[in-house]
Amino acid sequence: MLSNRQEIILRLIIEEYIKTASPVGSKRIQEVMSVDISSATIRNESAFLEEQGFLEKAHTSSGRVPSTKGYRYYVDNLMKKNDIEDVKLQIEEIFQKRGVTIDQVLDQTSKILSELTKLATVVSTSEDIEETRLKRVELVMLSKQSAVVLFILSNGSIENKTINLEAISLEELKISIDLFNDRLTDSKIQEIEFKAKAILPILKEQVKKYEFVLHTFVSALLHTGNTSQLKTSGMKYLLENPEFNDPNKIKSIIEFIEGASPFVWFQTHLKNHSKPAVAIGFETGIGNDDIAVVGTNFPTQNGGKGTLALVGPKRIQYDKVSDLLEWIGHKIEEKFNQGEE
């Protein structure tokens, strides 16, 4: 457990480093401290914090920089609420616009967040298919040799399957589609495989290639999975950070952002929590200790989940970012509770 003085010194070093990206020396700490402490005392306390793993010695100067452990202690114990009312007013205006959708809100909010924080903003959403239903099946001819079968789902997505008409006649394909529409419309996707077996005797009587039809249609529907989307803003800001001058580091961050799966971390970690989650350094799950991610979950249409996250160097302004994301998460939830899409 750190003493009150050690916590003050650690907090000041982290906040100075966040602002400047430069190692922080004892002289600078003495200048910004509200109490009168000698430079020697600050050096001794800083040395102790370094020994305990909260700080690291910079190679190029006598100053120190926060470690991942130091950032984590700051986030969990020292972070204060940041006054960001002006930013909230800008975002509040977006939410209040008549007819604005959640997607539009997130797009505009992401740009504001990236511009304010100089970080990349990532919005990752996935719709849960548990309640998704089959609305109808349609046929679109491509040529005399091929056609596309469209499966329209209740969540607005459309799955398609191209059919070679040498494998099945057009007439049999139409019969199969009519049967699916008559017997399986409004069925949950998760029930399709079971219900399809019930219509097998009827299908078998009318369609010679019934096994081909059943396998093709059911597979197309079962492989819909979760419909995921990933949108980013402010990627250019990452390149402005000295931590990411190494091309290999920026490449690993881009790969991290482009893959939706890393953001499952937030969906799992935040499952029963309303507060934003923070992943620092190697906690993100990639081999890059210079990165940090702050994210919050929000509900999406049809029972799905979304994550709004900010990605950047470890010297993120955690207080400002966490406060903003928590507030935005509540605003999105309020909008859904009002019955808006």
Side-chain angles (χ1 to χ4, degrees), residues 26 36 146 175 180 186 194 213 241 252 263 293 311 331 341:
S26 57
D36 188 18
S146 64
I175 291 172
F180 261 65
D186 208 36
F194 173 76
V213 168
N241 292 287
S252 69
F263 296 94
V293 187
V311 183
K331 295 296 295 183
E341 296 183 358

Side-chain angles (χ1 to χ4, degrees), residues 21-90:
S22 298
V24 184
S26 57
K27 183 179 179 181
R28 178 55 184 161
I29 295 303
Q30 192 175 31
E31 290 173 355
V32 296
M33 284 195 77
S34 58
V35 293
D36 188 18
I37 299 178
S38 69
S39 181
T41 299
I42 293 173
R43 282 196 297 272
N44 289 336
E45 295 288 30
S46 297
F48 173 81
L49 290 170
E50 183 181 347
E51 289 173 5
Q52 298 301 310
F54 294 98
L55 298 176
E56 295 173 352
K57 187 77 167 148
H59 298 297
T60 55
S61 75
S62 59
R64 291 178 171 85
V65 300
S67 66
T68 298
K69 181 179 178 180
Y71 280 118
R72 172 51 62 191
Y73 190 89
Y74 172 78
V75 169
D76 292 343
N77 302 286
L78 308 179
M79 194 166 63
K80 297 180 179 178
K81 285 286 184 180
N82 198 296
D83 185 10
I84 46 172
E85 293 308 312
D86 288 345
V87 180
K88 288 182 179 179
L89 284 174
Q90 291 182 54

Side-chain angles (χ1 to χ4, degrees), residues 218-237:
V218 172
S219 295
L221 287 166
L222 292 182
H223 290 153
T224 57
N226 286 352
T227 56
S228 301
Q229 291 185 349
L230 191 73
K231 295 181 181 179
T232 62
S233 299
M235 289 289 289
K236 61 183 179 182
Y237 294 122

Side-chain angles (χ1 to χ4, degrees), residues 13 27 35 42 47 67 79 91 98 103 120 183 195-196 237 240 247 252-253 257 260 321 325-326 333 338:
I13 289 176
K27 183 179 179 181
V35 293
I42 293 173
S67 66
M79 194 166 63
I91 297 175
R98 187 181 297 275
D103 283 344
R183 301 300 181 95
K195 289 188 174 182
Y237 294 122
E240 298 176 6
S252 69
I253 293 169
I257 290 173
V321 168
L325 290 184
E326 181 178 357
E333 191 166 358
Q338 292 167 5

Side-chain angles (χ1 to χ4, degrees), residues 66-126:
S67 66
T68 298
K69 181 179 178 180
Y71 280 118
R72 172 51 62 191
Y73 190 89
Y74 172 78
V75 169
D76 292 343
N77 302 286
L78 308 179
M79 194 166 63
K80 297 180 179 178
K81 285 286 184 180
N82 198 296
D83 185 10
I84 46 172
E85 293 308 312
D86 288 345
V87 180
K88 288 182 179 179
L89 284 174
Q90 291 182 54
I91 297 175
E92 180 73 45
E93 289 178 4
I94 298 172
F95 276 92
Q96 295 302 323
K97 288 180 181 177
R98 187 181 297 275
V100 69
T101 66
I102 288 294
D103 283 344
Q104 291 169 331
V105 166
L106 288 171
D107 282 344
Q108 295 176 50
T109 298
S110 295
K111 291 174 183 176
I112 291 175
L113 284 174
S114 287
E115 187 174 348
L116 167 75
T117 61
K118 305 304 179 186
L119 305 171
T121 305
V122 184
V123 178
S124 173
T125 59
S126 63

